[in-house]
Amino acid sequence: INISLYFMNQKGFTAFGYGHMSFDERMKFYMNNGVKFLIIDSILIKQDYLKPYLKSKIGAYQNICIFDLKSDIN
């Protein structure tokens, strides 16, 4: 389920197992548990629910974008 995190040698969360929470509830939970970065497919950048978390892009590789979540979230 978290094979992408394993391959990147990173600890973290995916959406699996958190379907009962809204996206904002999940992000709050993740950030309260030490998550510092959001790694997403670039096709998702246009999704309105992600916009508050996409303020500080720190990198990209092919179709993957990385955002710093330590920046201010409104």
Side-chain angles (χ1 to χ4, degrees):
I1 294 168
N2 292 324
I3 195 72
S4 57
L5 295 171
Y6 175 80
F7 285 144
M8 292 186 289
N9 195 29
Q10 296 293 314
K11 294 179 182 178
F13 297 92
T14 63
F16 182 81
Y18 299 94
H20 64 284
M21 299 172 134
S22 71
F23 185 78
D24 286 330
E25 289 173 325
R26 280 189 299 220
M27 289 304 292
K28 184 175 181 179
F29 173 79
Y30 299 156
M31 293 168 72
N32 287 338
N33 284 281
V35 170
K36 298 175 185 172
F37 306 102
L38 176 63
I39 301 170
I40 61 169
D41 189 300
S42 60
I43 200 164
L44 295 174
I45 289 175
K46 295 181 181 181
Q47 299 296 318
D48 287 337
Y49 66 92
L50 284 172
K51 288 183 180 178
Y53 306 98
L54 306 180
K55 294 181 179 178
S56 183
K57 186 174 181 178
I58 60 170
Y61 178 73
Q62 295 180 0
N63 64 319
I64 301 298
C65 296
I66 304 167
F67 294 87
D68 185 351
L69 294 175
K70 294 178 283 185
S71 62
D72 292 334
I73 301 292
N74 293 328

